[in-house]
Amino acid sequence: MHDLLLRSCIIKLMDSPYISLYRKYRPQTFAELAGEEHVTKTLVNAIKQGRVSHAYLFAGPRGTGKTSTAKILAKAMNCEKGPTPEPDNTCPSCLEISAGSAVDVLEIDAASNRGIDEIRELRDKVHFAPTRGRYKVYIIDEVHMLTTEAFNALLKMLEEPPAHAIFVLATTEPHKVLPTILSRCQRFDFRRIGTSDIIRRLEHIAESEGIEIDQGALVLIASHSQGSLRDAISDIDQLMAYCGKTITMDDVAGALGLVPYEQLADFADLIVECRPADALRMIAGLVDSGQDLREFVGGLLGHFRNLFVIKSTGAEDILDLPEEHLSRLRNQADAISVPALDHALALLSEAHNEMRFSSNPRLALEVVTVKVVRSGGAEAVEERHQRKSRKEEAAAKMPAERVKAKAAGAGGKETEAKVAEAGVPQGTGTAGNGEEAVVKTPAERADAETRPAEMAPAAGAREKAGGKGADSEQEAAEVPEGLSPAKAHRAWKPMLQAVKKRRVPTYSLLLECEPRTRDDVLVLRFNKRAAFHKGEVEKAANMRIVEEAAEEVFGTKVRIECELADEDPAKLEEAPPELLPETDMPSHHIKKVMHEKFGATMVEEITNEE
Ligand SMILES: [Zn+2]
């Protein structure tokens, strides 16, 4: 008796090895297929009308239900109660197909051995009638991997398929499938499954399995799966092994090395609000908690990509995110300028690549953070200080304020230097140092929150008319209202690119000049020997292009004048050398070296006016 019990137990154990959740919850009916209604509707109609094709191509990313659909189709055609769009899943035929043991349904994985033998065998047997069901269904997965020989054999079968054969070719790379094959198949494109569909499916599984899983965890898993339901379900499997039947967002973040959305959004807030010190503190916290920093930067990159989509297109639907995420993204997109966003994306992407090889990912993250803040923040801080100097005319005359105003231009550099030195910078509020220029006081933060538009680079320029009254003041020379030397230099490279985009010869002419400012005029200063270039640029056709480019970059019309280097240089304002951008022309430093070493004639161009 005991023996018998034991045997049955063993048999039971052997019979039911652990079945992965994905296999267990593989969709068994067309209705259960998540998010591919455009496919299932057509197939259901074809089955109802008895117009099922002999060859289908299921194209789409992995884990989107191609093989599952093929199997449901096989069941629909061979179900004892069929052909029916709703196979019963209880008859022997359905059960065999579900278990993968049906003799009439053959699955071939072209990826594993490129299919030569299978296709040959298939070709030899395809004409025999099905053993049990009505149809022989051949599911060829990753069909693009077949060898040429196998492809040709397949093509022969598709040219004259027996009445009882149905071919389902599945592929993640339809462009690699020969056109002669494509032309013989009815094609269905499987889409990535939407986050909300995946979440719904996961909720169903969790409920059936008695798993407690919070919403944040579900969102995180769903977005990590990038539209692959199979990956999402496998993640749940993995998480159950890791933390049992209660799964929280922190578990998900920890086990899968993912970054919770809130963390990314909080960090992005710090960047958008120009709070580098707080951002670095947060990085320290991430390091303490053992967060994978490269994963974090990857998450940030995704977050800024979402900001980019919202800012530049407003197409929130393609982001496929829950409303609370979207509303935070909207606020951040409002608060950051387009150039700052472009720059942030470029920097983060670069950092993400570099971190793969970096032995000190923390430093890499800190540096990129400060750089990103600087690119988005310096502009805003400059605008703010300009506005301040207008508002507080009296206060602006105080020496401390002048130091501050100067720091607004060069502060970013100083802050970065500090970071490199100290690892983590000091707190906010120390008046007069470089950090003051970038880090907002709480009052300023509140100010910025009510005025998100001031992040836009053009804001200061637009307001310049109102600021002209300050011209007589000494401060006005240091922080000109519309067009500061720093601003002109920063804008120069984008402006060159904007000209190049319109007309390359005009761009070449501009390589011979340097940007300066006089009051609100952008002065293109040509070397004495470049009088020809100056004359060309001054021609109406070229000047129009330059003006257009300037308007694009500055966001407002800018008056432009050309002059030769010896035309009263004393009037021109020089930007501090560290602010000079890299341009396509030799840098100031190179010119300086040229002069010092070789006595080159450009010396008057780099006269330090201090
Ligand atoms: Zn059935």
Side-chain angles (χ1 to χ4, degrees):
M1 189 62 197
H2 259 284
D3 199 14
L4 201 67
L5 201 68
L6 191 65
R7 271 172 73 105
S8 74
C9 278
I10 290 172
I11 287 168
K12 214 169 181 183
L13 276 174
M14 286 172 67
D15 263 1
S16 54
Y18 178 69
I19 299 177
S20 71
L21 287 179
Y22 177 68
R23 277 183 59 202
K24 193 167 171 188
Y25 288 94
R26 186 167 212 158
Q28 303 294 340
T29 65
F30 286 121
E32 278 176 26
L33 277 165
E36 306 288 352
E37 283 77 14
H38 60 293
V39 174
T40 52
K41 215 171 151 187
T42 315
L43 280 176
V44 164
N45 283 335
I47 295 166
K48 274 185 191 159
Q49 296 162 9
R51 297 161 62 100
V52 171
S53 163
H54 284 290
Y56 290 100
L57 182 80
F58 289 178
R62 56 190 295 274
T64 51
K66 299 185 295 294
T67 320
S68 297
T69 307
K71 286 192 151 191
I72 297 169
L73 176 65
K75 282 193 273 189
M77 300 311 287
N78 280 344
C79 178
E80 286 180 0
K81 301 197 178 121
T84 165
E86 287 160 18
D88 61 359
N89 280 308
T90 53
C91 73
S93 172
C94 284
L95 291 176
E96 279 177 17
I97 294 172
S98 293
S101 58
V103 281
D104 294 325
V105 179
L106 199 70
E107 271 189 85
I108 296 170
D109 180 10
S112 59
N113 51 10
R114 313 209 64 190
I116 299 181
D117 295 337
E118 279 97 339
I119 296 285
R120 208 176 278 145
E121 195 187 335
L122 198 160
R123 188 187 52 199
D124 294 342
K125 291 183 181 167
V126 71
H127 291 283
F128 297 126
T131 322
R132 186 183 189 119
R134 297 175 201 92
Y135 291 90
K136 282 188 159 176
V137 182
Y138 299 103
I139 303 167
I140 306 176
D141 207 8
E142 298 298 359
V143 69
H144 64 274
M145 302 282 280
L146 289 180
T147 59
T148 313
E149 192 194 339
F151 249 132
N152 287 334
L154 179 63
L155 187 59
K156 282 230 166 57
M157 287 184 279
L158 292 179
E159 277 167 350
E160 287 172 50
H164 59 256
I166 296 172
F167 293 90
V168 180
L169 316 180
T171 179
T172 50
E173 297 182 63
H175 56 278
K176 290 187 181 165
V177 179
L178 292 181
T180 45
I181 301 255
L182 288 177
S183 68
R184 285 167 210 284
C185 296
Q186 191 177 344
R187 173 169 171 169
F188 288 111
D189 285 290
F190 285 66
R191 295 191 282 247
R192 290 184 195 285
I193 302 166
T195 310
S196 49
D197 280 323
I198 291 185
I199 290 175
R200 216 170 302 135
R201 190 78 190 145
L202 296 183
E203 276 171 343
H204 167 74
I205 293 173
E207 205 181 305
S208 314
E209 291 289 311
I211 304 169
E212 264 182 60
I213 182 163
D214 64 42
Q215 196 64 23
L218 286 175
V219 171
L220 201 50
I221 293 170
S223 46
H224 175 242
S225 71
Q226 298 193 325
S228 167
L229 185 57
R230 182 167 61 210
D231 288 355
I233 298 176
S234 303
D235 282 348
I236 300 254
D237 243 337
Q238 202 185 322
L239 283 160
M240 277 173 68
Y242 177 83
C243 49
K245 293 216 163 187
T246 308
I247 301 171
T248 66
M249 190 169 77
D250 287 342
D251 293 332
V252 178
L256 304 179
L258 300 182
V259 190
Y261 173 80
E262 275 66 27
Q263 234 173 44
L264 296 173
D266 289 349
F267 196 80
D269 270 342
L270 298 179
I271 287 179
V272 168
E273 291 168 11
C274 304
R275 292 158 60 189
D278 289 336
L280 295 199
R281 283 187 198 104
M282 186 166 163
I283 293 172
L286 295 175
V287 171
D288 288 345
S289 66
Q291 171 77 52
D292 178 340
L293 293 184
R294 185 163 185 268
E295 192 77 41
F296 184 76
V297 172
L300 267 187
L301 200 51
H303 187 87
F304 274 80
R305 172 259 181 191
N306 291 347
L307 281 175
F308 180 78
V309 169
I310 287 188
K311 182 88 182 173
S312 52
T313 68
E316 293 178 357
D317 52 313
I318 64 168
L319 297 184
D320 192 23
L321 289 172
E323 174 55 33
E324 69 257 39
H325 292 198
L326 284 174
S327 76
R328 281 193 85 172
L329 281 166
R330 263 179 236 125
N331 289 339
Q332 290 174 354
D334 281 347
I336 192 167
S337 73
V338 172
L341 189 50
D342 289 352
H343 205 56
L345 268 173
L347 287 171
L348 286 170
S349 161
E350 202 179 301
H352 190 238
N353 284 332
E354 279 171 8
M355 282 170 91
R356 209 176 328 164
F357 311 106
S358 170
S359 56
N360 192 347
R362 176 177 181 167
L363 180 68
L365 176 54
E366 286 172 341
V367 169
V368 75
T369 299
V370 175
K371 277 187 181 172
V372 169
V373 169
R374 198 175 57 189
S375 71
E379 202 88 51
V381 171
E382 190 180 333
E383 306 298 344
R384 185 166 45 250
H385 277 279
Q386 285 172 18
R387 200 160 40 79
K388 212 171 180 177
S389 72
R390 281 196 301 281
K391 272 202 263 179
E392 311 166 356
E393 273 182 48
K397 284 177 185 160
M398 285 155 59
E401 198 61 31
R402 231 172 288 158
V403 175
K404 246 178 162 180
K406 272 197 142 168
K413 262 256 151 53
E414 281 182 44
T415 309
E416 193 194 9
K418 274 193 161 178
V419 172
E421 273 170 33
V424 177
Q426 305 308 305
T428 60
T430 32
N433 70 9
E435 205 176 331
E436 170 74 5
V438 176
V439 181
K440 296 177 189 178
T441 65
E444 281 174 326
R445 258 175 241 152
D447 192 351
E449 272 160 24
T450 56
R451 257 179 251 253
E454 81 173 342
M455 285 292 277
R462 259 188 251 114
E463 288 169 0
K464 73 182 173 191
K468 283 242 163 144
D471 275 0
S472 56
E473 284 178 36
Q474 214 188 340
E475 280 71 24
E478 286 179 36
V479 187
E481 293 305 325
L483 194 61
S484 66
K487 193 168 177 176
H489 277 281
R490 216 172 17 244
W492 185 238
K493 194 170 184 181
M495 197 176 139
L496 281 177
Q497 291 310 313
V499 170
K500 193 176 184 180
K501 208 169 63 193
R502 289 172 169 80
R503 193 169 171 270
V504 174
T506 313
Y507 159 79
S508 312
L509 292 168
L510 288 186
L511 296 181
E512 297 299 325
C513 73
E514 289 174 0
R516 300 294 166 92
T517 56
R518 187 192 299 114
D519 298 334
D520 281 340
V521 180
L522 177 63
V523 179
L524 306 183
R525 194 182 204 209
F526 288 82
N527 185 300
K528 258 188 280 184
R529 285 164 306 174
F532 165 79
H533 298 81
K534 172 176 172 281
E536 287 298 303
V537 171
E538 281 173 328
K539 284 180 180 168
N542 283 325
M543 191 46 89
R544 200 172 52 241
I545 287 167
V546 176
E547 282 169 354
E548 277 175 23
E551 189 171 349
E552 178 187 320
V553 170
F554 289 97
T556 183
K557 279 206 190 317
V558 177
R559 219 169 88 221
I560 294 169
E561 285 174 11
C562 298
E563 65 181 31
L564 287 179
D566 57 351
E567 288 174 8
D568 198 3
K571 279 186 184 172
L572 299 172
E573 297 154 11
E574 183 89 58
E578 68 269 22
L579 274 178
L580 295 176
E582 291 168 37
T583 67
D584 295 347
M585 61 187 174
S587 77
H588 270 59
H589 295 294
I590 293 173
K591 286 184 182 174
K592 195 170 180 181
V593 171
M594 291 282 283
H595 164 62
E596 282 165 359
K597 296 250 186 227
F598 307 110
T601 55
M602 293 171 188
V603 56
E604 63 270 38
E605 281 194 45
I606 50 156
T607 311
N608 197 332
E609 285 170 23
E610 276 177 28

